[in-house]
Amino acid sequence: MLQLDNVVKTFGALRAVDGVSLEVQRATITGLIGPNGAGKTTLFNTIAGAYVPDGGQIRLDGQAIGGLRADQIFHRGLGRTFQIPRPLGTLTVTENMLLSPHGQIGERFWNAWLRRGAVRAQDRRNLEKAREVIAFMGLGHLADQPAGVLSGGQQKLLELARILMVNPAVILLDEPAAGVNPVLLESLMERIVALNRQGITFLLIEHNMDMVMSLCNPVVVMAQGKVVMQGEPAAVRTDPRVVNAYLGDQP
């Protein structure tokens, strides 16, 4: 579903992503782990269009996306979340949701007069979908509340919910467990599993190893901008290359 071939991203003399090649198979939950500074978030930003790769190829479902703008990649079916959620705090949860769908004919002001019925019908469909997704994410009781009053964990649920408004094929999750209390984390994991069973592919960065080992298969390990191994969780946990990546050479 997602294919990277020798992807490079540099900042001056620093090769933050140094020839990364990997494949994310359709309808899997793939984990991406590694110590701080391994290049994981830079890789996410390069895949999602925040950065232009300096080398290599990135393909989404067989189509090249390397170098496209973030919004173009989003509209092709790849969404991503961030370590720190970014809702529009003064808008309600529902209003945040309604900003996501693309191709809204009401965005062209003349359609408010020339295609009033079509605009209303599309707005009604989007609102119905937003309510369904909000309920699925367990945020129904907060639908009319400003997004700024949500807890950190609830904001992560909202961020994932906003992506679902565009029927994504692939979702990149950047540290979904960070700052989330155990109850909401369990809820988030249940939603990820449910969405995966519906066919959505996930690639997630995470430092919570319990979450990675229970949720992800395969697991990809990065260190110093490179992929050092990829395999099943049990194999990754005990592999000397992974221990060395996190702890360094031991005497």
Side-chain angles (χ1 to χ4, degrees), residues 68-85:
L68 295 181
R69 299 192 313 268
D71 62 298
Q72 293 173 322
I73 295 172
F74 182 65
H75 292 159
R76 291 189 180 206
L78 186 146
R80 62 86 51 93
T81 66
F82 295 86
Q83 294 177 18
I84 300 175

Side-chain angles (χ1 to χ4, degrees), residues 109-185:
F109 72 90
W110 57 82
N111 283 332
W113 289 275
L114 300 178
R115 303 181 62 189
R116 184 176 302 177
V119 170
R120 288 177 175 173
Q122 187 182 57
D123 287 347
R124 187 163 51 249
R125 290 192 299 271
N126 286 338
L127 181 58
E128 290 173 355
K129 182 171 183 178
R131 287 171 173 166
E132 290 175 359
V133 175
I134 290 170
F136 169 76
M137 298 302 293
L139 298 173
H141 61 296
L142 297 167
D144 298 321
Q145 295 297 311
V149 308
L150 273 59
S151 69
Q154 290 168 336
Q155 289 186 1
K156 290 197 172 188
L157 289 170
L158 172 58
E159 192 168 51
L160 179 55
R162 289 192 300 184
I163 295 173
L164 297 178
M165 289 294 290
V166 298
N167 301 316
V170 179
I171 299 178
L172 311 183
L173 299 176
D174 196 347
E175 296 194 31
V180 179
N181 70 55
V183 174
L184 279 179
L185 179 57

Side-chain angles (χ1 to χ4, degrees), residues 15 89 134 191:
R15 292 173 71 90
I134 290 170
R191 268 62 179 187

Side-chain angles (χ1 to χ4, degrees), residues 34-70:
N36 290 331
K40 304 182 299 296
T41 295
T42 300
L43 182 64
F44 262 30
N45 287 334
T46 306
I47 294 170
Y51 298 149
V52 175
D54 296 308
Q57 296 289 328
I58 304 173
R59 294 182 177 86
L60 175 64
D61 201 15
Q63 301 298 312
I65 60 171
L68 295 181
R69 299 192 313 268

